[in-house]
Amino acid sequence: MRKIDLSYSDDLLKDHEIIALKEQVILAHNQIHNKTGLGNELLGWLDYPNTYNKEEFNKVKKIAKKIKNDSDILVVIGIGGSYLGARAVIEAINHTFYNLLPKSKRKYPQILFAGNNLSSNYMNDLIEIMEDKDISINVISKSGTTMETTIAFRILKKFMERKYGKEAYKRIYVTTDKEKGLMKTLADKKGYETFVIPDDIGGRFSVLTSVGLLSMAVSGVNIDELINGAKDALEEYSNQNVFENNSYKYAAIRNIFYRKGKDLEILVNYEPSLQFFSEWWKQLFAESEGKDGKGIMPLSLTYSTDLHSLGQYIQDGKRNLFETIINIEKVRSDIRICEDEDDDKEFEFLNGKSVDYVNKKAFEGTKMAHIKGNVPNVVITIPELNEYYLGKLIYFFQKSCALSGYLLGVNPFDQPGVEEYKRNMIRLIKSAQ
Amino acid sequence: MRKIDLSYSDDLLKDHEIIALKEQVILAHNQIHNKTGLGNELLGWLDYPNTYNKEEFNKVKKIAKKIKNDSDILVVIGIGGSYLGARAVIEAINHTFYNLLPKSKRKYPQILFAGNNLSSNYMNDLIEIMEDKDISINVISKSGTTMETTIAFRILKKFMERKYGKEAYKRIYVTTDKEKGLMKTLADKKGYETFVIPDDIGGRFSVLTSVGLLSMAVSGVNIDELINGAKDALEEYSNQNVFENNSYKYAAIRNIFYRKGKDLEILVNYEPSLQFFSEWWKQLFAESEGKDGKGIMPLSLTYSTDLHSLGQYIQDGKRNLFETIINIEKVRSDIRICEDEDDDKEFEFLNGKSVDYVNKKAFEGTKMAHIKGNVPNVVITIPELNEYYLGKLIYFFQKSCALSGYLLGVNPFDQPGVEEYKRNMIRLIKSAQ
């Protein structure tokens, strides 16, 4: 299997800049592998593709099969790291309009999400969609104290008990701590089947655990291949030499740009189905690096869509940004642009071309335009968008992110800033009693 | 009807800073109203809510009715300003899972979008969804030379001709220039019904023209109310005094923050259905202001969802950002959080509260937290999320944007930077012949 390729224009980044960071990279590599850096109690993801619990993994497959057989809809309740990774892979791999497909073509249950916002309108609309359907629920929370998850689950648990009575518990699956916490206590009391979130893996690094795998498997994602990709990546990205390790090279490059004053990074894709992969990536980097007044702000765009909205800014606005493009060599399906008797001569040049061919030219043309506009472009190329390369890419970014955080000089594994709004919210609600 | 309210914490912005800009605002106001500023040939949106073509408007309603009666799906082909505005309003007003609703509950056709990307995978998946359904198409392009739109239309036109033979033309609606351009020529040749994009309204200011109205009306949006809101806004935001005109005040505030080094603005909502309203807003401001090396980069987030991904950065990362929150006073539907015998005492305080109540406390708590973290918060409040206030809000931002661009010192109505990638792309395709 092929490696993930990394390229960039040397107009805006010189090799000697990477050489200058070579020793810092080795230092950070050792902090990760010797577990001597900040936050080292949360390095469980590092060897996970080798050490993961095979029994748990098989249980995921078994339960996924059951849900496929007895449900029209799987509702996944979770937020942040308990939401984005699963959705990222489900949307990247499946049909663009997966949930819209008629049952005859979809085969597997629809996947809908809850507990990822506090909109009452969303919740009511979701319940309307769930009526008259057979439902399973997977609720995901390490502690069971996340407000969004708790509220959604309390409401949907009632829905399930109204619908299925005493049998409701057989359709509720809880992914949580292995022994403690409100969710675990509740699951034991009610007899819900449970899955384990490992202690040494933080939310944003948990996509390859049961947190992400169950709903992916229900939607038909081949989770074996996903893990295989991550496993190969573990091997490939263990080299401490930045010139022989694209994951580290990417980390070094972002730090170089940041130190030059580029404090915005745009993750760009040319496939709309990668939108949530970018959302997953944003959490990974924003929570890991955005602290102590530091950090690159991660944005994500889909091209050419967003060239028609933010393209003007990127070409010609403030010059504090760089782009990282996920380039997919081979698309799942292409479509030919046939000659059209009605069309004007102006577009004759399209005749016989394919849509993906044009998409690739949009990518090349945009890269040239943006580099000319002084926006550095880093291109990450994967051979195709399948489970194997997605697993590899996930691990690529996780490893990169840890190294990048250490280069920046932060603890890449904590998120102290997320607590402030929660404390305020709870205080405000309680004080109104 | 109530005005749109605007508030901010005076910890991070003092009144004298706005007073200092009062005369600049009057100058910019005069540039708009006397049509003396840069780009003044594109000010058609300014009086549009009064001067719009009533005959065209009625035709939109008539054709929308026809499409509702004879179609399962309306496919809207367009990109940028020919896409985002319609989708923004359709999603803000309708059911969260509009397209997923069973036919018995939806009443009106599904709305799907094409021509807003160059993904072959997307196109093939879309065609699969369209099979065995009755389809209408609305293709939107001023010149008819936008590559994304042209390609999608060429493919879908073939689909329609295969499906409906000689009758296909009766289901294809073209929104384009009133007399010239490839699309108009084609429409005349084939007998397609046409709608007009006015000459003096640029793409990103065109949402209230036929560009946006037709698909909105098909989905059941009350377009009369939308225009009424804009009409009242036209009146309300014609006052040159920045202290008596919230649209101008918002423009002044953003320029004050920008001049302090805050070059990122995050538009925040607490309702997921506003996601595409934010996308529309991003194009409006990014294309209008992001030029000549200047401009605020507009981002958008949905809370509390994204507090669990970008929240850490916003609370504690680089301090170059401010937030503008769209606050909706009254939600369409609320839902009560009932007591639950199974729940732990820790969450007793939720008993009897409603989900929207908690959402509002999340808003207040987050505002306090972020202001404490030195992120200025501007709050724009609308009484409820209906067509009237959405029309008002659209006009509020359009007027703001024009004024803001003049304050910044750019032409708010051109987008020269969007052409560069297009030229490259076409050259690359042609050179490969």
Side-chain angles (χ1 to χ4, degrees):
Chain A
M1 290 291 182
R2 286 178 45 203
K3 295 193 179 190
I4 291 171
D5 191 43
L6 183 87
S7 67
Y8 51 90
S9 156
D10 55 11
D11 290 345
L12 301 170
L13 177 72
K14 303 293 180 199
D15 265 6
H16 73 254
E17 298 180 74
I18 300 178
I19 293 172
L21 286 187
K22 209 178 160 192
E23 298 297 316
Q24 283 183 29
V25 168
I26 293 172
L27 188 70
H29 167 86
N30 288 331
Q31 286 176 309
I32 296 171
H33 282 268
N34 302 335
K35 301 193 195 295
T36 54
L38 293 169
N40 57 58
E41 69 282 8
L42 287 170
L43 279 162
W45 56 271
L46 187 64
D47 295 321
Y48 178 83
N50 283 331
T51 61
Y52 70 94
N53 185 327
K54 276 70 181 179
E55 219 172 286
E56 169 97 1
F57 188 81
N58 286 328
K59 188 166 135 191
V60 165
K61 292 207 266 189
K62 198 187 88 190
I63 299 294
K65 205 169 162 187
K66 171 175 180 299
I67 296 172
K68 282 178 186 177
N69 283 330
D70 70 7
S71 307
D72 301 310
I73 299 177
L74 171 66
V75 179
V76 182
I77 306 179
I79 193 165
S82 300
Y83 159 56
L84 293 170
R87 187 159 180 185
V89 175
I90 290 167
E91 296 199 355
I93 295 297
N94 287 305
H95 194 283
T96 307
F97 303 93
Y98 176 83
N99 280 337
L100 272 189
L101 279 170
K103 223 176 162 179
S104 57
K105 286 180 179 174
R106 187 166 19 83
K107 294 197 297 185
Y108 305 130
Q110 292 176 318
I111 313 281
L112 297 173
F113 297 92
N116 57 349
N117 62 63
L118 290 165
S119 163
S120 51
N121 201 45
Y122 181 97
M123 181 55 83
N124 282 321
D125 288 353
L126 177 68
I127 290 171
E128 197 176 345
I129 287 287
M130 290 164 65
E131 273 163 16
D132 314 320
K133 295 281 174 63
D134 269 318
I135 310 288
S136 288
I137 285 182
N138 179 206
V139 57
I140 306 167
S141 174
K142 178 80 173 162
S143 64
T145 61
T146 305
M147 182 82 94
E148 290 85 347
T149 313
T150 300
I151 291 174
F153 186 53
R154 205 193 274 193
I155 292 169
L156 295 181
K157 183 161 89 58
K158 269 218 160 50
F159 173 95
M160 294 297 275
E161 287 168 356
R162 230 170 18 237
K163 187 176 176 91
Y164 294 106
K166 284 189 176 163
E167 303 293 295
Y169 80 96
K170 293 182 183 167
R171 295 176 163 272
I172 295 176
Y173 306 92
V174 174
T175 309
T176 188
D177 190 88
K178 72 173 177 301
E179 53 187 15
K180 60 184 188 303
L182 297 183
M183 207 56 97
K184 176 63 179 165
T185 310
L186 180 63
D188 288 346
K189 175 179 163 190
K190 306 286 281 188
Y192 303 146
E193 187 76 72
T194 59
F195 294 91
V196 174
I197 307 180
D199 280 332
D200 54 357
I201 299 182
R204 62 185 174 275
F205 285 86
S206 72
V207 48
L208 299 176
T209 72
S210 300
V211 167
L213 295 179
L214 182 62
S215 56
M216 288 181 204
V218 171
S219 79
V221 168
N222 183 334
I223 60 175
D224 289 290
E225 275 298 289
L226 194 75
I227 297 285
N228 282 343
K231 203 174 148 100
D232 284 356
L234 187 160
E235 192 62 31
E236 279 173 37
Y237 305 124
S238 61
N239 188 329
Q240 63 172 14
N241 183 340
V242 66
F243 287 100
E244 291 167 10
N245 184 333
N246 278 337
S247 167
Y248 287 180
K249 204 174 194 177
Y250 171 63
I253 288 170
R254 340 180 36 254
N255 274 273
I256 290 166
F257 287 139
Y258 182 67
R259 294 175 192 184
K260 288 184 200 216
K262 308 261 181 211
D263 49 23
L264 280 180
E265 177 178 7
I266 304 174
L267 190 71
V268 172
N269 67 69
Y270 282 78
E271 289 295 333
S273 68
L274 282 174
Q275 191 201 328
F276 266 84
F277 186 82
S278 296
E279 292 296 325
W280 168 82
W281 172 91
K282 274 154 69 173
Q283 181 190 4
L284 183 65
F285 280 92
E287 275 192 358
S288 300
E289 297 193 319
K291 50 195 68 160
D292 308 322
K294 294 191 281 278
I296 295 170
M297 172 64 98
L299 320 188
S300 63
L301 296 176
T302 296
Y303 289 171
S304 65
T305 310
D306 293 323
L307 291 172
H308 293 254
S309 62
L310 290 167
Q312 166 64 36
Y313 190 104
I314 292 160
Q315 187 68 49
D316 196 29
K318 272 198 84 169
R319 304 295 73 191
N320 58 335
L321 43 92
F322 68 99
E323 288 171 298
T324 298
I325 297 99
I326 297 183
N327 175 39
I328 296 160
E329 278 185 345
K330 192 170 159 294
V331 284
R332 198 170 306 137
S333 70
D334 203 354
I335 182 167
R336 204 179 144 84
I337 306 166
C338 295
E339 202 170 330
D340 186 321
E341 48 168 29
D342 295 324
D343 255 326
D344 193 273
K345 288 234 180 311
E346 193 169 335
F347 282 106
E348 242 178 6
F349 67 90
L350 290 174
N351 294 348
K353 298 286 184 298
S354 79
V355 172
D356 187 58
Y357 178 85
V358 177
N359 205 16
K360 293 287 193 290
K361 296 301 165 191
F363 156 59
E364 288 172 37
T366 305
K367 190 174 68 171
M368 287 163 58
H370 288 182
I371 289 173
K372 191 176 159 200
N374 269 309
V375 178
N377 268 230
V378 181
V379 181
I380 294 174
T381 300
I382 60 171
E384 53 184 312
L385 190 55
N386 59 20
E387 286 92 338
Y388 176 83
Y389 285 111
L390 216 49
K392 204 165 220 183
L393 194 59
I394 284 168
Y395 193 90
F396 174 98
F397 280 127
Q398 287 179 339
K399 192 82 189 277
S400 241
C401 183
L403 194 99
S404 183
Y406 283 142
L407 286 180
L408 177 63
V410 298
N411 178 347
F413 304 113
D414 69 356
Q415 57 283 335
V418 181
E419 299 309 313
E420 184 85 14
Y421 98 88
K422 295 184 192 172
R423 274 193 300 268
N424 289 345
M425 170 171 66
I426 290 170
R427 202 183 56 242
L428 287 166
I429 298 172
K430 285 186 172 170
S431 71
Q433 302 281 319
Chain B
M1 289 292 181
R2 286 178 45 204
K3 295 194 178 188
I4 292 171
D5 191 42
L6 182 86
S7 67
Y8 52 88
S9 156
D10 55 12
D11 289 346
L12 300 169
L13 177 73
K14 304 291 179 201
D15 265 5
H16 73 255
E17 299 181 74
I18 299 177
I19 293 172
L21 285 187
K22 209 178 161 194
E23 298 297 316
Q24 283 183 29
V25 168
I26 293 172
L27 189 71
H29 167 87
N30 288 331
Q31 286 177 309
I32 296 171
H33 283 269
N34 302 334
K35 302 192 195 295
T36 54
L38 292 169
N40 56 58
E41 70 281 8
L42 288 169
L43 279 162
W45 56 271
L46 187 65
D47 295 321
Y48 178 83
N50 283 332
T51 61
Y52 71 94
N53 185 328
K54 278 70 178 176
E55 217 173 286
E56 169 97 0
F57 188 81
N58 286 328
K59 188 166 135 191
V60 165
K61 292 207 267 190
K62 198 186 88 190
I63 298 294
K65 204 168 162 187
K66 171 176 181 298
I67 296 172
K68 281 178 187 175
N69 284 331
D70 70 8
S71 306
D72 302 309
I73 299 177
L74 170 66
V75 179
V76 182
I77 305 178
I79 193 165
S82 300
Y83 159 54
L84 294 169
R87 187 159 180 185
V89 175
I90 289 168
E91 296 199 355
I93 294 297
N94 287 304
H95 195 283
T96 306
F97 303 94
Y98 176 82
N99 280 336
L100 272 189
L101 279 171
K103 223 175 163 180
S104 57
K105 287 180 178 175
R106 189 167 17 84
K107 293 196 299 187
Y108 305 130
Q110 292 176 317
I111 313 281
L112 297 173
F113 296 92
N116 57 349
N117 62 62
L118 290 165
S119 163
S120 51
N121 201 45
Y122 182 97
M123 182 54 84
N124 282 321
D125 288 353
L126 177 68
I127 290 172
E128 198 176 345
I129 288 287
M130 291 164 65
E131 272 162 18
D132 314 320
K133 296 281 175 61
D134 269 319
I135 310 288
S136 288
I137 284 181
N138 178 207
V139 57
I140 306 167
S141 173
K142 178 81 173 160
S143 64
T145 61
T146 305
M147 181 82 92
E148 290 84 349
T149 313
T150 300
I151 291 173
F153 185 53
R154 204 194 272 193
I155 292 169
L156 295 180
K157 183 161 86 57
K158 270 221 157 50
F159 173 95
M160 295 297 275
E161 287 169 355
R162 230 170 18 234
K163 187 177 177 88
Y164 295 107
K166 283 187 176 165
E167 303 294 294
Y169 80 97
K170 292 181 183 167
R171 294 176 164 271
I172 294 175
Y173 306 92
V174 174
T175 309
T176 188
D177 189 89
K178 70 173 181 299
E179 53 187 16
K180 60 182 188 306
L182 297 183
M183 207 55 97
K184 176 63 178 163
T185 310
L186 181 64
D188 288 347
K189 176 179 161 189
K190 307 285 281 187
Y192 303 147
E193 187 75 73
T194 60
F195 294 92
V196 174
I197 306 179
D199 281 331
D200 53 357
I201 299 183
R204 61 186 175 275
F205 285 85
S206 70
V207 48
L208 299 175
T209 72
S210 301
V211 168
L213 296 179
L214 182 61
S215 55
M216 288 181 206
V218 170
S219 79
V221 168
N222 183 334
I223 60 175
D224 289 289
E225 275 299 289
L226 193 75
I227 297 285
N228 283 343
K231 204 174 148 101
D232 284 357
L234 187 160
E235 192 62 31
E236 279 173 36
Y237 305 124
S238 62
N239 189 328
Q240 64 174 14
N241 183 338
V242 67
F243 287 99
E244 292 167 10
N245 184 333
N246 279 337
S247 167
Y248 287 180
K249 204 174 195 177
Y250 171 62
I253 288 170
R254 352 187 17 261
N255 275 272
I256 290 166
F257 286 140
Y258 182 66
R259 294 175 192 185
K260 290 184 198 218
K262 307 260 180 213
D263 48 23
L264 280 181
E265 176 178 10
I266 304 174
L267 190 72
V268 171
N269 67 69
Y270 282 79
E271 289 295 334
S273 68
L274 282 174
Q275 191 202 327
F276 266 85
F277 186 82
S278 295
E279 292 295 325
W280 168 82
W281 171 91
K282 273 153 70 173
Q283 182 191 4
L284 183 66
F285 280 91
E287 276 191 359
S288 299
E289 296 193 320
K291 50 194 67 159
D292 307 323
K294 293 191 281 280
I296 295 170
M297 172 63 98
L299 319 188
S300 63
L301 297 176
T302 296
Y303 288 172
S304 65
T305 311
D306 294 323
L307 290 172
H308 292 255
S309 62
L310 291 166
Q312 166 63 37
Y313 191 104
I314 293 160
Q315 188 67 48
D316 196 27
K318 272 198 85 169
R319 303 294 74 190
N320 59 334
L321 43 93
F322 68 100
E323 289 171 297
T324 299
I325 297 98
I326 297 183
N327 175 38
I328 297 159
E329 279 184 346
K330 191 171 160 295
V331 284
R332 198 170 306 135
S333 71
D334 203 353
I335 181 167
R336 204 178 143 82
I337 306 167
C338 295
E339 202 171 329
D340 185 322
E341 48 168 30
D342 295 323
D343 255 327
D344 193 273
K345 288 232 179 314
E346 192 168 336
F347 283 106
E348 243 178 5
F349 68 91
L350 290 174
N351 294 348
K353 300 285 185 297
S354 79
V355 172
D356 188 57
Y357 177 85
V358 177
N359 205 16
K360 294 286 193 288
K361 296 302 165 191
F363 156 59
E364 289 172 37
T366 305
K367 190 173 68 171
M368 288 163 59
H370 289 183
I371 289 172
K372 192 176 157 202
N374 270 309
V375 178
N377 268 230
V378 182
V379 181
I380 294 174
T381 300
I382 60 172
E384 55 184 311
L385 190 56
N386 59 19
E387 287 91 339
Y388 175 83
Y389 285 110
L390 216 49
K392 203 167 220 184
L393 195 58
I394 284 168
Y395 193 90
F396 174 98
F397 280 127
Q398 288 179 339
K399 193 82 189 277
S400 240
C401 183
L403 194 99
S404 184
Y406 284 142
L407 286 179
L408 178 63
V410 298
N411 178 348
F413 304 113
D414 68 357
Q415 58 283 334
V418 181
E419 299 309 314
E420 185 83 16
Y421 97 89
K422 295 184 192 170
R423 275 193 299 267
N424 289 344
M425 170 171 65
I426 291 171
R427 202 183 56 241
L428 286 167
I429 298 172
K430 285 186 172 168
S431 71
Q433 304 280 318

